[in-house]
Amino acid sequence: MFQTAFTLTLTQFARTLSLPERLQRSPLRNLTLEALRQRNTALDALFYDIKVITPEEAFYLSGSLAAEGSIMIVPPSGGGAIILCETLEECALRGGGDARALAVAGIGGSALGAAAFARNVADAIDTPVAVVVSGYGLADIVTEAVGGHFFFGHLRGLRPVFQMLDDLAGRPKFGAADKSDSETASRTSLDTRTVRALLAEPRFSFRLLAGHSKGNLVISAALHELCKQDQVGAETLAKRLKIVTIGARIAMPPVFSDIVDVIGEWDWFGEMNSRPFISADQRIPHAWHHTNTDLAGHLPVTAVLKEILAKATISEETEAAPALHVVAEPQASNAQTNAAALPSSKRPTRRPATVDKVKEAFSEKTLRDLPPVQTDRSSEMQPPKPH
């Protein structure tokens, strides 16, 4: 716990030092939001495993804690320093093409929390991970005021509506800010547009898409937009992409069928923001919503991802794209290690769900006694379309 407190204190101190420079651009906006951004950074320190971020990296990220849409390339622990990129082009030039996974965090939306979540994912697959910062701006204040923080899964259309407030207040342009037309920009948030642009960009070849909490909502909105703009490209992406949602079950487009929904056994917050017709594939015993391993009741992201990927079977028709390598636990057998790569094709079709099965899946007896149920998302009710 000391390392978590030290990393948070260092980040906030460095953030304070950079305030005069940031006030030179949009002073009223930055003064209005700074206290809330500091609060959200503290929230991320509780919910994410920030001790995996080195003091040098924390200092480096402090000036961009709320840079919505910015991209970071996060290597595994001990594999190098975090690289912060302002645009897709910069990400591609600085090694983003080597990343085989894309992560999106939630909760406070700070760069510190996003980097910590991405490092947990990188430690599971032993390769660099790209992560998009959600940030915190004027749109988030309005959304939070009407309950968006607690009901983000059901009020997902509100935040994009208020994005114009940030644009009018002089928000810095990161990520895919200049790559979307005005009609799309008015309906989607900047972090969503950046995720969609990364997935559609041929220079990147992601095979794993991991989200936590509100980050799953961003992923869902990005995939729905991608399907509407390029159905053929979305189908091609779906053949190689594995999606792991942690802490909230959000409906994805039917074409994406290789999905694993993970939630903690005690995670009432995640259940409150999840779609009730989607059953959990894996429930982590004695786990709540946070992933900070310093606190009791945490959901261990690295260990859970290793287990999920180790269970995945490799198809005989292996595609040319390299598979992710998963770090085997010291006690793991050779058979587990060899089976730890991501599959290059979709899993067998899930069984269709009926109303009775859904009720049974959420009953107390079923959740306690039965193993995770795999269901066919393509036969479920159509998910709500993003506004």
Side-chain angles (χ1 to χ4, degrees), residues 5-63:
F6 175 76
T7 302
L8 173 61
T9 303
L10 177 62
T11 304
Q12 292 179 326
F13 174 72
R15 177 76 176 177
T16 302
L17 292 179
S18 65
L19 181 61
E21 179 182 354
R22 286 181 284 110
L23 288 180
Q24 296 178 13
R25 295 170 293 181
S26 304
L28 182 59
R29 178 177 184 269
N30 283 318
L31 277 176
T32 302
L33 294 173
E34 187 59 27
L36 294 171
R37 289 169 174 171
Q38 294 274 11
R39 178 207 64 179
N40 278 23
T41 304
L43 282 176
D44 280 349
L46 291 175
F47 279 87
Y48 292 108
D49 204 17
I50 68 169
K51 67 175 182 296
V52 298
I53 305 300
T54 66
E56 294 80 9
E57 290 171 333
F59 198 93
Y60 169 61
L61 296 175
S62 61

Side-chain angles (χ1 to χ4, degrees), residues 115-126:
F117 179 67
R119 177 142 289 165
N120 284 161
V121 176
D123 287 341
I125 62 177
D126 197 29

Side-chain angles (χ1 to χ4, degrees), residues 55-120:
E56 294 80 9
E57 290 171 333
F59 198 93
Y60 169 61
L61 296 175
S62 61
S64 303
L65 284 179
E68 181 184 356
S70 60
I71 308 162
M72 292 182 291
I73 304 172
V74 183
S77 298
I82 295 174
I83 300 174
L84 181 63
C85 307
E86 295 186 358
T87 63
L88 270 68
E89 288 70 21
E90 183 182 356
C91 180
L93 290 174
R94 302 187 70 179
D98 297 330
R100 289 294 174 265
L102 177 62
V104 187
I107 308 297
S110 74
L112 182 64
F117 179 67
R119 177 142 289 165
N120 284 161

